[in-house]
C-alpha cells in the first residue's frame, strides 16, 4: 500500500474505538505502513493528520516496539503537532515510551530510546505544559516529565514550578493529577 492509498484509507477512521483499532491492526499486520502513517501524522496542517495520530496511538498501545525503528523521525517532528485532535495521542505515545523506559521489566524501549529522543520528548512535553492545550495532553505530558525527571535533575524543579503556578486556574482533572505528582516529586526529592 502506498502512502496515498493509506491516506485514503484513513478517511474511514472516525473517533470510534472500533475504527481506530481496525486501522491499527491493518498497520500492525503490515509494518511497512508505519513510516507512511508517521509521514501522514506529520502533515500537521492536513485534517487526516489527526486520524493518523489516533491510529498510531492504537498501534503503540498494541505493539509499542513497532514505533522504535522510527523514533528519530517521530521525536524530531513532535514539536510540529498542533491540532488538539493530534496532540492528545502524540502526548499519550510519549507517556507510553517513558513508562516502558522506566518499567522494571526488560523491554526493547530501554535500548532504543536514546538521549536525543528523550530530549525532544521532554522539550515537547514542556511545551504542552506551558501552552494552551487541553487537559489530557497536559496530563500525559506531566506524567512523561515525571518519569524523565528520575534521570534529568533539572526537570522536577521546572515541572513543580509549572504545576504550582497553573494549579489554581486549571480544571479538576489537572488539579488531581498535579496534586498527585507534586506529592510524589516532593517525597522522592528534597525539593
Amino acid at each position: 500500500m502506498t502512502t496515498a492509498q493509506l491516506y485514503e484509507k484513513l478517511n474511514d477512521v472516525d473517533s470510534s474505538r472500533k475504527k481506530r483499532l481496525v486501522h491499527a491492526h491493518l498497520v500492525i499486520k503490515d509494518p511497512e505502513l508505519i513510516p507512511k502513517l508517521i509521514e501522514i501524522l506529520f502533515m500537521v496542517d492536513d485534517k487526516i493528520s489527526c486520524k493518523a495520530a489516533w491510529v498510531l496511538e492504537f498501534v503503540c498501545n498494541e505493539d509499542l516496539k513497532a514505533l522504535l525503528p522510527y523514533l528519530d523521525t517521530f521525536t524530531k517532528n513532535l514539536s510540529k503537532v498542533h491540532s488538539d485532535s493530534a496532540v492528545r495521542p502524540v502526548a499519550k505515545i510519549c507517556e507510553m515510551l517513558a513508562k516502558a523506559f522506566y518499567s522494571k521489566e526488560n523491554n526493547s524501549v530501554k535500548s532504543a530510546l536514546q538521549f536525543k529522543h528523550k530530549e525532544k520528548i521532554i522539550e515537547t512535553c514542556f511545551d504542552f505544559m506551558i501552552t494552551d492545550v487541553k487537559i489530557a495532553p497536559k496530563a500525559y505530558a506531566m506524567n512523561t516529565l515525571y518519569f524523565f525527571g528520575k534521570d534529568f535533575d533539572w526537570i522536577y524543579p521546572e515541572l513543580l514550578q509549572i504545576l504550582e503556578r497553573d494549579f489554581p486556574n486549571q480544571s479538576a482533572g489537572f488539579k488531581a493529577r498535579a496534586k498527585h505528582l507534586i506529592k510524589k516529586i516532593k517525597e522522592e526529592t528534597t525539593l
Side-chain angles (χ1 to χ4, degrees), residues 50 53 81-92 128 133-134 137-138 140:
C50 66
V81 178
H82 57 80
S83 165
D84 283 341
S85 296
V87 167
R88 191 207 56 76
V90 163
K92 176 69 173 170
F128 292 160
V133 297
K134 297 189 181 215
K138 285 185 185 288
Y140 297 136

Side-chain angles (χ1 to χ4, degrees), residues 69-81:
Y70 311 101
L71 280 175
D72 285 346
T73 304
F74 180 76
T75 57
K76 185 177 89 183
N77 292 290
L78 273 176
S79 62
K80 295 178 184 176
V81 178

Side-chain angles (χ1 to χ4, degrees), residues 1-13 36-37 39-41 43 46-49 51-52:
M1 186 182 299
T2 66
T3 303
Q5 290 168 324
L6 179 59
Y7 180 94
E8 286 304 314
K9 197 120 182 87
L10 289 172
N11 272 313
D12 297 339
V13 177
K36 296 169 184 171
L37 183 67
E39 180 183 342
I40 296 167
L41 162 62
M43 295 176 183
D46 190 305
K47 63 181 172 59
I48 300 296
S49 169
K51 294 181 178 196

Side-chain angles (χ1 to χ4, degrees), residues 53-119:
W54 297 345
V55 171
L56 186 61
E57 176 195 351
F58 275 57
V59 167
C60 292
N61 198 41
E62 297 280 317
D63 183 17
L64 186 57
K65 70 182 180 303
L67 178 64
L68 300 184
Y70 311 101
L71 280 175
D72 285 346
T73 304
F74 180 76
T75 57
K76 185 177 89 183
N77 292 290
L78 273 176
S79 62
K80 295 178 184 176
V81 178
H82 57 80
S83 165
D84 283 341
S85 296
V87 167
R88 191 207 56 76
V90 163
K92 176 69 173 170
I93 293 168
C94 291
E95 182 189 55
M96 287 183 215
L97 288 166
K99 274 185 178 177
F101 188 82
Y102 289 97
S103 167
K104 291 180 179 162
E105 297 165 14
N106 204 9
N107 63 63
S108 51
V109 173
K110 291 180 186 232
S111 57
L113 195 66
Q114 300 170 12
F115 180 80
K116 64 182 179 179
H117 303 136
K118 293 177 197 173
E119 277 188 319

